[in-house]
Amino acid sequence: MPDGSPGGFRPAFRRWRAGRPFWGGLLLALGGAEVLLTLKASLAVIMHVGMQGLAGYLLPTVMLLCGVLILFSPAQRLFYSIIGVLVSLGTWVTSNLGGFFVGLLLGVVGSCLTFGWLPDQEPRVSRRKRRKEARAAKAVARPLEREASQTA
């Protein structure tokens, strides 16, 4: 099934993912979803119902919303990541110890990844590739040094 884009779906998704803090937004959204799901646990499993019940549903919903907004509006990532980490820490009190620590940790890690993401940073070059380029530059420089020493 040709979709009209050169290279198919996978390269297009990689280009889209490279332009945003994908993993941070995904982890924050997954953390919010996990906390929401632990609110629906049976009463035998629930440790803490939450403050008046509303905050127990509101904070994980805001986490989920911030994660989705980070994915689709990366220009506002700093604001969403700060709100995300504060809300994630708030689930400790309101939502079964932050979804039994799993949702809390996913939210905090995702928010931190988003906060530290830089949009226009060049991709890192592996150490092996840097060494290879350095050897190639030395190999080119050696004949030039020999020529310069012979003419002097």
Side-chain angles (χ1 to χ4, degrees), residues 84 86 105:
L86 292 175
L105 290 175

Side-chain angles (χ1 to χ4, degrees), residues 32-103:
E34 198 276 333
V35 173
L36 274 174
L37 289 176
T38 58
L39 286 175
K40 296 292 185 179
S42 67
L43 289 176
V45 176
I46 291 180
M47 296 171 64
H48 191 281
V49 174
M51 298 176 351
Q52 293 91 25
L54 177 64
Y57 290 101
L58 183 65
L59 294 182
T61 304
V62 171
M63 280 176 68
L64 183 66
L65 185 64
C66 281
V68 171
L69 287 171
I70 285 169
L71 291 175
F72 293 105
S73 179
Q76 305 300 323
R77 71 190 181 282
L78 296 177
F79 175 72
Y80 295 139
S81 67
I82 291 171
I83 297 298
V85 78
L86 292 175
V87 169
S88 296
L89 292 172
T91 61
W92 170 265
V93 177
T94 61
S95 307
N96 292 336
L97 296 175
F100 305 113
F101 300 110
V102 176

